Amino acid sequence: MSTPFPFTAVVGQDDLRLALVLNAVSPAVGGVLVRGEKGTAKSTAVRALSALMPEVDVVSGCRFSCDPDSPDPGCPDGPHAPGAFASRAARMVELPVGASEDRLVGALDIERALAEGVKAFEPGLLADAHRGILYVDEVNLLHDHLVDLLLDAAAMGASYVEREGVSVRHAARFLLVGTMNPEEGELRPQLLDRFGLTVEVAASREPDQRVEVVRRRLAYDDDPAAFAARWADEEAAVRARIVAARELLPSVRLGDGALRQIAATCAAFEVDGMRADIVMARTATALAAWAGRTDVLAEDVRQAALLALPHRRRRNPFDAPGLDEDKLDETLEEFGGQDGPADDGDGDGDDDPDPGPGGGPGGQPEPDDAPQGDGDAAARPEAGEGGEPQPSGGAGEQSPARSAEPFRTKVLSVPGLGQGAAGRRSRARTEHGRTTGARRPRGALTKLHLAATVQAAAPHQRARGRSGPGLVVRRDDLRQATREGREGNLVLFVVDASGSMAARQRMSAVKGAVLSLLLDAYQRRDKVGLVTFRGSAADVALPPTSSVDAAAVRLESLPTGGRTPLAAGLLRAHEVLRVERLRDPARRALVVVVTDGRATGGPEPVALAGRAARLFAAEGTASVVVDCESGPVRLGLAGQLAGELGGTAVTLDELRADSIAGLVKDVQGSRRAA
């Protein structure tokens, strides 16, 4: 086994280390979600924490790590007789993004269950992680139903496996840690709320700290064992402090004054439900125990709020997580506790909550040398209050117009039946959904079709020598249920940013419509991409990604002006889809072209655009044209483009009206006619 990077050797990342340690002191806090850019020590710190966890005593031979002092009465390997036990290090179990449901929760041997009535159960990762750490890297890319199972088990402290009336339950209490890069997509607010604490991490911009990160990493890579030995004393000190804090935790007093501050803070920041109050109370108590105190102070409540509330204030994918610290301090001062001393609210007391040495925030394992793209939207020029464009580069270019308020759109679906990633947009064959039939299993059986299995086994009972009441079932009799649910698609936006679209009020409405469709894509678990065309070329403003946040930022910073190279935009979109099919062939695409249909620039621009559009029709790619033409005289060019694409056209007004309800049928009908 390789030597892990020492937890106390991680440079900076104070909030990350503190959040991890607080969960080690009190697992009831509810786990940690770590958000941040790549190369910022997220995974390194989590893996290093396992070395600091105290050893656990387990019943010898128990696959579910039962505590010999209080074994689980419902353990599938029980009942356990008193006696033999063993001590071992707390495990850190990693859940891969591509894991199946059976790998997570465990699997029943359906053949033995039907033929012998035996609950033959193969434990999953939840059983392996019991009384240890369960780590999910890129948790935002995990399928929703797996995240639901994971968080349910973490909340209840137990895992339930149900298969055709046969059920198994076992204890599953673990420290849950998830890491994610927000650029690759967000978790839903409902799932964010299930994590106790959240931490935002970023690489330090201080040269001295970056130098120290590189120095320590190179020293570790040269000789991991020698590097770990140099930090052994610091590691032992933190380990002992965790043990002491655990022992002190039951004695910590959470007074009415601190509870009043917690309740007032959650109310002031308008967080939904009561989970935030409970998590803050547990976190503040753990902070006091970590500091060696038996009273919860105002500084504990403040730090608990900074860790427990930011992600709970996020209500839609375009909300940035965060907390107004001035408002927090005002609330704490107004509702100051009456039964315990309060500090000045800056959180810098004599008790340093930092779990180890190190400077300010810094990255850990590898340097981030990724290109920064075409700049941050916040640094780009905005239009003035009166709509006057600010200076910007490029002939005929206008500064970005602000988008109108988003609205609720109707569903745009891909016709037919797919088999892509689970989502909520188009019909597909999925692991979850309504049962539509049965087939022979390919590989491991995951969803038994009981009636079809019995029907397949029934004719052979006499030949198999059946003499008792049990059904003689063999593997060839087993049938897998086929199910139909919904899949997520790739929604590729092709947006006209030319001069014909440049009227500020008009472009604002266009951006509002695209933003509304982006919000719909987020809710339906789609990937999104953004291609824009203006001047003489088309650009991929955002390659296909799960992050609708990134698409919204690029959309807001989109300038307009110049000619209308419609053909270039369509050809660039076609190339994006070709590459994406190689990466993810099962995910079907929906192309949404936002334009007034005009094409200018170059020889025969209209004919060239028509030929480019027919490439999509020939491949059967589903498409919708959002017609942005305005004014009393309409040329109908967007409708003609939709015909060439083999799709349908809808106006901006119809995008939010009931008349769009028949859009899917129109798409199917137009494709049949083609």
Side-chain angles (χ1 to χ4, degrees):
M1 181 177 178
S2 61
T3 303
F5 193 94
F7 186 81
T8 51
V10 175
V11 177
Q13 305 297 21
D14 297 341
D15 286 345
L16 170 57
R17 293 189 294 163
L18 178 60
L20 292 172
V21 165
L22 292 177
N23 275 270
V25 170
S26 175
V29 166
V32 186
L33 175 64
V34 187
R35 298 162 44 93
E37 59 195 28
K38 49 191 174 292
T40 50
K42 299 190 298 293
S43 300
T44 298
V46 175
R47 293 188 176 100
L49 178 67
S50 61
L52 299 180
M53 299 288 285
E55 288 191 342
V56 294
D57 294 334
V58 298
V59 174
S60 297
C62 178
R63 297 175 297 167
F64 300 88
S65 302
C66 278
D67 186 344
D69 293 333
S70 57
D72 180 10
C75 177
D77 284 354
H80 298 299
F85 69 92
S87 295
R88 62 163 175 80
R91 292 173 179 158
M92 195 198 75
V93 177
E94 295 194 41
L95 174 62
V97 169
S100 65
E101 180 179 335
D102 285 346
R103 184 71 185 100
L104 176 63
V105 302
L108 286 170
D109 189 330
I110 300 298
E111 185 176 0
R112 292 189 64 192
L114 290 176
E116 306 172 30
V118 175
K119 294 182 181 179
F121 181 68
E122 184 65 30
L125 295 177
L126 291 180
D128 293 341
H130 180 47
R131 304 177 68 200
I133 302 172
L134 182 59
Y135 172 45
V136 188
D137 193 14
E138 307 295 353
V139 64
N140 52 322
L141 303 183
L142 199 65
H143 286 173
D144 281 355
H145 74 281
L146 292 183
V147 178
D148 288 333
L149 288 171
L150 181 65
L151 295 175
D152 284 343
M156 295 186 296
S159 174
Y160 295 84
V161 184
E162 301 281 348
R163 291 290 188 277
E164 305 299 335
V166 181
S167 63
V168 171
R169 173 212 165 274
H170 65 83
R173 292 183 295 275
F174 46 82
L175 194 168
L176 175 63
V177 183
T179 57
M180 59 175 284
N181 184 344
E183 293 177 356
E184 297 172 339
E186 283 286 356
L187 279 172
R188 292 176 300 172
Q190 298 90 334
L191 298 180
L192 283 172
D193 183 56
R194 301 288 290 276
F195 282 93
L197 309 180
T198 188
V199 178
E200 296 278 344
V201 296
S204 173
R205 297 301 184 255
E206 293 294 329
D208 290 343
Q209 289 190 10
R210 296 178 75 95
V211 166
E212 186 61 22
V213 169
V214 175
R215 180 182 291 118
R216 293 185 187 183
R217 184 68 206 193
L218 293 178
Y220 171 77
D221 290 340
D222 288 342
D223 191 341
F227 183 82
R230 291 201 296 273
W231 292 89
D233 291 343
E234 288 84 351
E235 294 281 286
V238 174
R239 189 180 300 110
R241 191 174 172 187
I242 290 174
V243 173
R246 282 186 172 186
E247 294 174 351
L248 183 62
L249 187 64
S251 303
V252 176
R253 175 176 173 269
L254 181 65
D256 289 342
L259 277 173
R260 191 180 303 109
Q261 286 183 316
I262 290 171
T265 300
C266 292
F269 286 100
E270 300 180 344
V271 296
D272 296 330
M274 294 298 299
R275 185 176 283 119
D277 303 63
I278 296 170
V279 170
M280 274 190 65
R282 290 171 174 166
T283 304
T285 304
L287 279 161
W290 176 245
R293 289 186 267 98
T294 56
D295 284 308
V296 174
L297 307 182
E299 66 188 68
D300 300 322
V301 175
R302 185 181 194 278
Q303 183 65 62
L306 293 175
L307 293 172
L309 296 188
H311 61 302
R312 291 186 165 87
R313 301 193 65 240
R314 182 185 174 95
R315 288 177 169 80
N316 70 63
F318 309 129
D319 289 342
L323 211 63
D324 184 341
E325 296 194 32
D326 291 337
K327 181 178 179 181
L328 173 61
D329 291 334
E330 291 173 3
T331 303
L332 292 176
E333 183 177 354
E334 179 181 355
F335 294 88
Q338 302 299 317
D339 56 355
D343 70 348
D344 58 4
D346 62 2
D348 295 329
D350 293 333
D351 295 304
D352 182 8
D354 184 78
Q364 186 50 38
E366 58 270 355
D368 179 7
D369 55 359
Q372 298 301 311
D374 49 12
D376 186 358
R380 300 188 182 212
E382 291 285 352
E385 291 294 328
E388 291 297 324
Q390 303 300 315
S392 57
E397 179 178 306
Q398 298 186 27
S399 61
R402 294 187 181 277
S403 64
E405 284 297 315
F407 53 85
R408 184 178 180 85
T409 67
K410 297 294 184 177
V411 182
L412 308 180
S413 299
V414 178
L417 190 65
Q419 51 186 2
R424 295 186 176 85
R425 183 171 296 277
S426 305
R427 294 175 54 227
R429 298 182 184 90
T430 61
E431 287 293 319
H432 298 269
R434 62 185 182 88
T435 300
T436 58
R439 60 172 173 80
R440 291 181 182 272
R442 305 183 187 96
L445 178 72
T446 55
K447 300 292 182 182
L448 178 74
H449 195 295
L450 183 59
T453 298
V454 172
Q455 187 176 12
H460 308 291
Q461 296 305 295
R462 181 175 298 178
R464 294 173 182 173
R466 174 186 171 186
S467 57
L471 188 68
V472 181
V473 179
R474 295 180 179 172
R475 184 161 296 278
D476 289 344
D477 301 327
L478 300 179
R479 294 295 183 268
Q480 173 86 23
T482 57
R483 301 191 174 192
E484 182 178 312
R486 294 279 169 176
E487 68 176 359
N489 299 115
L490 166 60
V491 182
L492 182 61
F493 294 94
V494 185
V495 180
D496 184 350
S498 65
S500 63
M501 302 280 289
R504 186 161 301 278
Q505 186 175 0
R506 183 179 177 190
M507 197 61 194
S508 177
V510 169
K511 286 187 175 183
V514 178
L515 198 64
S516 303
L517 292 168
L518 281 172
L519 181 59
D520 181 69
Y522 164 81
Q523 295 168 338
R524 300 187 186 282
R525 314 306 290 166
D526 295 315
K527 292 179 71 173
V528 296
L530 178 62
V531 173
T532 65
F533 57 94
R534 56 180 291 273
S536 59
D539 295 312
V540 180
L542 183 71
T545 175
S546 297
S547 175
V548 298
D549 304 59
V553 170
R554 302 295 173 88
L555 180 70
E556 286 290 348
S557 62
L558 179 66
T560 57
R563 295 175 181 251
T564 311
L566 177 57
L570 295 174
L571 291 173
R572 180 57 63 92
H574 185 268
E575 177 62 17
V576 169
L577 292 183
R578 185 190 68 79
V579 173
E580 195 62 20
R581 286 192 192 101
L582 298 176
R583 295 174 177 166
D584 191 357
R587 189 182 292 268
R588 298 187 295 164
L590 173 65
V591 178
V592 179
V593 185
V594 184
T595 182
D596 56 11
R598 290 181 172 84
T600 60
E604 300 183 342
V606 176
L608 187 60
R611 288 197 295 271
R614 287 191 288 274
L615 292 175
F616 293 87
E619 295 173 352
T621 303
S623 60
V624 174
V625 178
V626 179
D627 184 359
C628 302
E629 191 174 28
S630 60
V633 179
R634 295 177 177 266
L635 302 178
L637 298 176
Q640 296 176 24
L641 176 63
E644 299 280 7
L645 286 166
T648 189
V650 56
T651 66
L652 286 174
D653 292 336
E654 291 170 339
L655 196 57
R656 68 168 87 208
D658 292 338
S659 58
I660 198 176
L663 183 59
V664 176
K665 294 181 180 179
D666 293 340
V667 172
Q668 292 172 326
S670 61
R671 287 183 59 185
R672 291 194 197 99

